PDB file of all heavy atoms in Angstrom:
ATOM      1  N   GLN A 677     -37.808 -48.789  -9.834  1.00  0.00           N
ATOM      2  CA  GLN A 677     -37.074 -48.135  -8.755  1.00  0.00           C
ATOM      3  C   GLN A 677     -37.806 -48.322  -7.439  1.00  0.00           C
ATOM      4  O   GLN A 677     -39.029 -48.192  -7.362  1.00  0.00           O
ATOM      5  CB  GLN A 677     -36.935 -46.645  -9.065  1.00  0.00           C
ATOM      6  CG  GLN A 677     -36.219 -45.841  -7.995  1.00  0.00           C
ATOM      7  CD  GLN A 677     -36.134 -44.364  -8.356  1.00  0.00           C
ATOM      8  OE1 GLN A 677     -36.206 -43.994  -9.524  1.00  0.00           O
ATOM      9  NE2 GLN A 677     -35.982 -43.516  -7.347  1.00  0.00           N
ATOM     10  N   THR A 678     -37.054 -48.611  -6.376  1.00  0.00           N
ATOM     11  CA  THR A 678     -37.647 -48.716  -5.045  1.00  0.00           C
ATOM     12  C   THR A 678     -37.654 -47.337  -4.383  1.00  0.00           C
ATOM     13  O   THR A 678     -36.912 -46.435  -4.779  1.00  0.00           O
ATOM     14  CB  THR A 678     -36.863 -49.701  -4.172  1.00  0.00           C
ATOM     15  OG1 THR A 678     -35.512 -49.247  -4.052  1.00  0.00           O
ATOM     16  CG2 THR A 678     -36.877 -51.085  -4.791  1.00  0.00           C
ATOM     17  N   GLY A 679     -38.468 -47.198  -3.358  1.00  0.00           N
ATOM     18  CA  GLY A 679     -38.644 -45.912  -2.710  1.00  0.00           C
ATOM     19  C   GLY A 679     -37.418 -45.406  -1.990  1.00  0.00           C
ATOM     20  O   GLY A 679     -37.320 -44.213  -1.689  1.00  0.00           O
ATOM     21  N   ASP A 680     -36.460 -46.293  -1.708  1.00  0.00           N
ATOM     22  CA  ASP A 680     -35.279 -45.858  -0.961  1.00  0.00           C
ATOM     23  C   ASP A 680     -34.102 -45.513  -1.853  1.00  0.00           C
ATOM     24  O   ASP A 680     -32.989 -45.292  -1.371  1.00  0.00           O
ATOM     25  CB  ASP A 680     -34.881 -46.915   0.077  1.00  0.00           C
ATOM     26  CG  ASP A 680     -34.621 -48.285  -0.548  1.00  0.00           C
ATOM     27  OD1 ASP A 680     -34.771 -48.425  -1.777  1.00  0.00           O
ATOM     28  OD2 ASP A 680     -34.275 -49.217   0.201  1.00  0.00           O
ATOM     29  N   ILE A 681     -34.309 -45.446  -3.173  1.00  0.00           N
ATOM     30  CA  ILE A 681     -33.268 -45.013  -4.097  1.00  0.00           C
ATOM     31  C   ILE A 681     -33.393 -43.510  -4.327  1.00  0.00           C
ATOM     32  O   ILE A 681     -34.437 -43.026  -4.772  1.00  0.00           O
ATOM     33  CB  ILE A 681     -33.339 -45.767  -5.437  1.00  0.00           C
ATOM     34  CG1 ILE A 681     -32.943 -47.233  -5.247  1.00  0.00           C
ATOM     35  CG2 ILE A 681     -32.451 -45.120  -6.485  1.00  0.00           C
ATOM     36  CD1 ILE A 681     -32.986 -48.062  -6.509  1.00  0.00           C
ATOM     37  N   ALA A 682     -32.348 -42.769  -4.000  1.00  0.00           N
ATOM     38  CA  ALA A 682     -32.255 -41.322  -4.237  1.00  0.00           C
ATOM     39  C   ALA A 682     -33.531 -40.572  -3.859  1.00  0.00           C
ATOM     40  O   ALA A 682     -34.127 -39.889  -4.693  1.00  0.00           O
ATOM     41  CB  ALA A 682     -31.891 -41.047  -5.696  1.00  0.00           C
ATOM     42  N   PRO A 683     -33.979 -40.664  -2.601  1.00  0.00           N
ATOM     43  CA  PRO A 683     -35.212 -39.962  -2.230  1.00  0.00           C
ATOM     44  C   PRO A 683     -35.127 -38.452  -2.408  1.00  0.00           C
ATOM     45  O   PRO A 683     -36.159 -37.795  -2.639  1.00  0.00           O
ATOM     46  CB  PRO A 683     -35.403 -40.345  -0.757  1.00  0.00           C
ATOM     47  CG  PRO A 683     -34.062 -40.779  -0.275  1.00  0.00           C
ATOM     48  CD  PRO A 683     -33.393 -41.400  -1.461  1.00  0.00           C
ATOM     49  N   ALA A 684     -33.935 -37.872  -2.322  1.00  0.00           N
ATOM     50  CA  ALA A 684     -33.798 -36.431  -2.531  1.00  0.00           C
ATOM     51  C   ALA A 684     -34.258 -36.036  -3.926  1.00  0.00           C
ATOM     52  O   ALA A 684     -34.807 -34.945  -4.123  1.00  0.00           O
ATOM     53  CB  ALA A 684     -32.349 -35.999  -2.310  1.00  0.00           C
ATOM     54  N   ASP A 685     -34.042 -36.923  -4.908  1.00  0.00           N
ATOM     55  CA  ASP A 685     -34.419 -36.596  -6.285  1.00  0.00           C
ATOM     56  C   ASP A 685     -35.923 -36.431  -6.442  1.00  0.00           C
ATOM     57  O   ASP A 685     -36.374 -35.585  -7.222  1.00  0.00           O
ATOM     58  CB  ASP A 685     -33.902 -37.674  -7.242  1.00  0.00           C
ATOM     59  CG  ASP A 685     -34.309 -37.394  -8.682  1.00  0.00           C
ATOM     60  OD1 ASP A 685     -33.857 -36.366  -9.217  1.00  0.00           O
ATOM     61  OD2 ASP A 685     -35.088 -38.180  -9.244  1.00  0.00           O
TER      62      ASP A 685
END
Side-chain angles (χ1 to χ4, degrees):
Q677 178 181 337
T678 60
D680 57 359
I681 291 180
D685 178 64

